[in-house]
Amino acid sequence: MMSDEFELSLRLQGLPPVIDGSSRILVLGSMPGMQSLVKQEYYGNPRNHFWRLLYAVWGEGVSDKGAGQAGGEAEQLPQGAPSVQETGTSRPLAGAGSAGSAYPVPSADYKERLRFALEHGVGLWDVLAACEREGSLDADIRKPEVNDFAALLRSFPTVERIWFNGQAAAQLFRRQVLPALAAQGLDRSVQLGVLPSSSPARTLSFEAKLEAWRQIRS
């Protein structure tokens, strides 16, 4: 039998939302992976395609110099109390991207990546506020605790559409969040859509993912 101490060590806390008053789109994952939780960054695994997809969709980015997934300390919202996230200006694309790549290169700075998302009306969060999980796989999630979407949607009525980053997030939301939103009449305020997961565990090619992710601009 697991000790109480070991059980407690498996309880993971998610990240606060990144959103502001101009966010029209909310991209939801299920629960951040271990690398993201350690870094306290959304999509902190350098093998995750999320930031490459986002920059490619809007056709902007930065040059090779200083590019990559090196992180910085994020200025995120306090858990359970959504408020406005600071915005800024992203640096323009200085070329087509890295050598041999036709796609833009995301900023190396995490704060810049957050600003880029917000400037394009994209907010970030996850379905789960907390759970028990060994490793980073959604299949290993136990005892999930969902985020307060009713409070967030009331605080940010500009959100028109929720896009799920993968089927796991969509299934969790529909099973554990949507009934409560429907009971409060909030399910009619936003449209829902599902995108291929940006996770490296999803073996679909970057190009195939990008073709689907272009929908978020519409």
Side-chain angles (χ1 to χ4, degrees):
M1 179 180 295
M2 287 186 179
S3 68
D4 291 341
E5 181 179 357
F6 184 63
E7 287 183 355
L8 183 62
S9 72
L10 295 179
R11 192 73 183 169
L12 305 174
Q13 296 295 321
L15 302 176
V18 173
I19 193 168
D20 67 13
S22 63
S23 298
R24 297 173 296 100
I25 297 164
L26 183 62
V27 177
L28 295 180
S30 51
M31 181 74 180
M34 294 307 297
Q35 287 193 53
S36 296
L37 292 176
V38 169
K39 293 180 177 180
Q40 288 293 286
E41 295 181 2
Y42 279 99
Y43 306 103
N45 183 340
R47 294 176 57 233
N48 193 296
H49 285 156
F50 175 78
W51 291 109
R52 286 182 61 204
L53 288 166
L54 199 66
Y55 273 69
V57 163
W58 269 277
E60 298 181 53
V62 297
S63 64
D64 297 58
K65 186 177 181 180
Q69 290 291 330
E73 184 178 349
E75 295 179 20
Q76 297 172 314
L77 310 180
Q79 188 71 28
S83 58
V84 175
Q85 169 74 33
E86 180 184 357
T87 60
T89 304
S90 295
R91 291 170 286 174
L93 178 66
S98 58
S101 171
Y103 302 112
V105 180
S107 172
D109 183 76
Y110 181 58
K111 291 181 184 178
E112 284 291 320
R113 298 199 296 275
L114 294 184
R115 290 187 181 108
F116 181 90
L118 291 171
E119 285 167 1
H120 290 89
V122 178
L124 307 176
W125 211 12
D126 290 293
V127 177
L128 300 184
C131 70
E132 293 182 4
R133 185 189 64 200
E134 292 186 74
S136 296
L137 296 179
D138 289 327
D140 294 329
I141 289 174
R142 301 289 182 269
K143 299 182 180 179
E145 174 190 336
V146 298
N147 277 309
D148 188 348
F149 285 93
L152 183 128
L153 292 174
R154 288 192 179 103
S155 296
F156 298 97
T158 55
V159 175
E160 301 170 349
R161 184 144 199 170
I162 292 174
W163 286 103
F164 300 106
N165 188 351
Q167 286 289 348
Q171 291 169 8
L172 280 168
F173 187 91
R174 287 176 175 140
R175 186 169 62 246
Q176 303 205 31
V177 177
L178 199 55
L181 292 182
Q184 300 175 68
L186 293 171
D187 59 318
R188 297 185 295 274
S189 65
V190 293
Q191 295 179 306
L192 306 178
V194 185
L195 299 165
S197 174
S198 64
S199 168
R202 183 71 161 93
T203 57
L204 200 65
S205 70
F206 176 80
E207 289 74 17
K209 290 180 183 180
L210 177 58
E211 186 66 25
W213 275 69
R214 287 193 176 106
Q215 297 175 83
I216 69 176
R217 289 198 63 162
S218 61

